[in-house]
Amino acid sequence: MTAKIMDGKSLAEEILADLQKKISQLPVAPHLAIILAGDDDSSLIYVRNKQKAAEKIGMQTTLFHLPENVSQEEVLNIVDHCNNDEKINGIIVQLPLPKHLNSNLIINSINPQKDVDGFHPYNTGLLQNNEKPYFVAATPLGIMTLIKQVCPDLSGKNVVLIGASLIVGRPLATLLLNQECTVTVTHIHTLNIRELTQKADILVAACGVSKLVKKDWIKPGAILIDVGINRENGKVCGDIDFADIVEKAGAVTPVPGGVGPMTVAMLLHNTFQAYLLQHNL
Ligand code: NAD
């Protein structure tokens, strides 16, 4: 058996083409504000990718690129400005922020109706309650869309997540639970992870450890989602050892070209939804 490759790049292109068509029919382009503090290499690349994708589909972006030593008050003032500017529909704060800034306080100051990253407690709380939040975080949303392509009925599936971060593992666990999956969330302190992953119908690796998942970690035919973006000898690779598992898995997302492009597409999907929400459409 050779695993089906889940092509996130093509699916993201379809989603973006559909958004482009819808945006071309609007009187004003949806507008995304991006707040970035400092010059972290990865953050600069991610922000540029988001801006490029947005511009390509006719969406406006404004980048507030602040110095590394920006004060908490200055960041909060910019969030406040974006909250009150009717021309701005969505606001994201590129994480991680420099250590002296209080990320929670800054995220919590975003208007939940403009929180297109879905990190505000209002949105995460509604998700937790299995109610409809304004926005769900882009990476988990992209992952759910990819999984649904190969497994439309998730009820009763045994899912194991490696990684319990606020931006991937936790919201994804909730989304899967809300779809009646049995979810096990593992992290750096979990003992005997392999014994858990071997039983997974669906395994999501989001821990940032290069090629951690090998073929003896997985059940034959399992669906594998690789969220990791790691650099090894100048090349990007995931948290799953693709070459090792490809003959045993049922389906797998490649890195690059899997979850990454879906994250960008879902962020822009959320920004479009924010525009509709704010225009009562
Ligand atoms: P994080 O550092 O916030 O969290 C990592 C999680 O993995 C933690 O819960 C930690 O306990 C766990 N972990 C670390 N090492 C582990 C190990 N050896 N075994 C089990 N668990 C372990 O990271 P994050 O922001 O969630 O990102 C995780 C990875 O996903 C990174 O490589 C990041 O670059 C990538 N990422 C990709 C996208 C995308 O769009 N493709 C989006 C977000 C993050």
Side-chain angles (χ1 to χ4, degrees):
M1 179 170 68
T2 299
K4 176 183 163 59
I5 309 301
M6 299 159 77
D7 185 352
K9 189 163 179 274
S10 298
L11 186 55
E13 275 164 12
E14 276 173 37
I15 293 165
L16 291 171
D18 181 55
L19 281 175
Q20 182 172 26
K21 212 163 101 196
K22 289 176 176 154
I23 289 170
S24 70
Q25 287 154 13
L26 298 175
V28 187
H31 189 161
L32 173 67
I34 304 173
I35 300 172
L36 168 67
D39 294 301
D40 174 74
D41 283 344
S42 298
S43 292
L44 287 169
I45 295 171
Y46 296 147
V47 165
R48 189 65 211 121
N49 286 346
K50 289 167 190 176
Q51 284 191 290
K52 264 185 8 205
E55 281 155 19
K56 209 168 151 196
I57 62 166
M59 200 175 262
Q60 289 183 69
T61 62
T62 298
L63 173 62
F64 295 88
H65 191 172
L66 311 169
E68 178 85 23
N69 62 355
V70 64
S71 71
Q72 175 91 6
E73 197 188 351
E74 281 171 271
V75 181
L76 289 173
N77 283 341
I78 288 171
V79 173
D80 192 51
H81 160 80
C82 294
N83 281 339
N84 292 312
D85 185 340
E86 282 182 10
K87 293 189 292 302
I88 291 176
N89 307 110
I91 305 166
I92 61 169
V93 176
Q94 186 65 37
L95 300 174
L97 285 169
K99 293 227 166 7
H100 67 281
L101 297 172
N102 182 336
S103 302
N104 286 343
L105 196 71
I106 291 168
I107 299 293
N108 296 359
S109 70
I110 297 173
N111 175 349
Q113 296 200 12
K114 293 191 176 187
D115 168 42
V116 289
D117 259 342
F119 296 156
H120 191 287
Y122 182 87
N123 287 317
T124 56
L126 285 177
L127 182 66
Q128 193 70 41
N129 289 359
N130 203 2
E131 292 180 54
K132 203 176 174 325
Y134 292 121
F135 307 104
V136 173
T139 304
L141 203 54
I143 293 170
M144 290 301 287
T145 310
L146 283 164
I147 293 176
K148 286 274 177 91
Q149 294 266 307
V150 288
C151 185
D153 182 11
L154 286 171
S155 184
K157 292 283 182 268
N158 190 19
V159 187
V160 176
L161 311 183
I162 307 177
S165 73
L166 293 174
I167 64 168
V168 189
R170 284 166 199 252
L172 182 61
T174 309
L175 284 168
L176 289 160
L177 189 59
N178 292 350
Q179 296 278 311
E180 300 164 344
C181 293
T182 302
V183 187
T184 305
V185 185
T186 71
H187 47 78
I188 188 82
H189 301 292
T190 305
L191 305 176
N192 306 324
I193 290 196
R194 214 158 37 134
E195 283 172 23
L196 300 167
T197 59
Q198 283 167 348
K199 297 196 182 84
D201 303 312
I202 301 169
L203 173 60
V204 182
C207 56
V209 182
S210 277
K211 300 180 183 171
L212 178 74
V213 176
K214 308 282 184 199
K215 65 168 177 274
D216 60 340
W217 284 54
I218 69 166
K219 177 172 160 177
I223 296 167
L224 306 183
I225 306 293
D226 194 346
V227 188
I229 303 175
N230 312 298
R231 266 160 247 281
E232 215 178 63
N233 306 325
K235 274 181 77 181
V236 174
C237 70
D239 294 345
I240 295 177
D241 190 336
F242 185 91
D244 199 49
I245 58 78
V246 73
E247 300 294 328
K248 189 174 178 186
V252 60
T253 60
V255 177
V259 175
M262 286 299 289
T263 296
V264 176
M266 288 301 148
L267 170 67
L268 301 187
H269 160 86
N270 280 353
T271 308
F272 177 71
Q273 293 301 320
Y275 176 99
L276 298 183
L277 178 71
Q278 286 149 36
H279 289 80
N280 299 314
L281 292 169

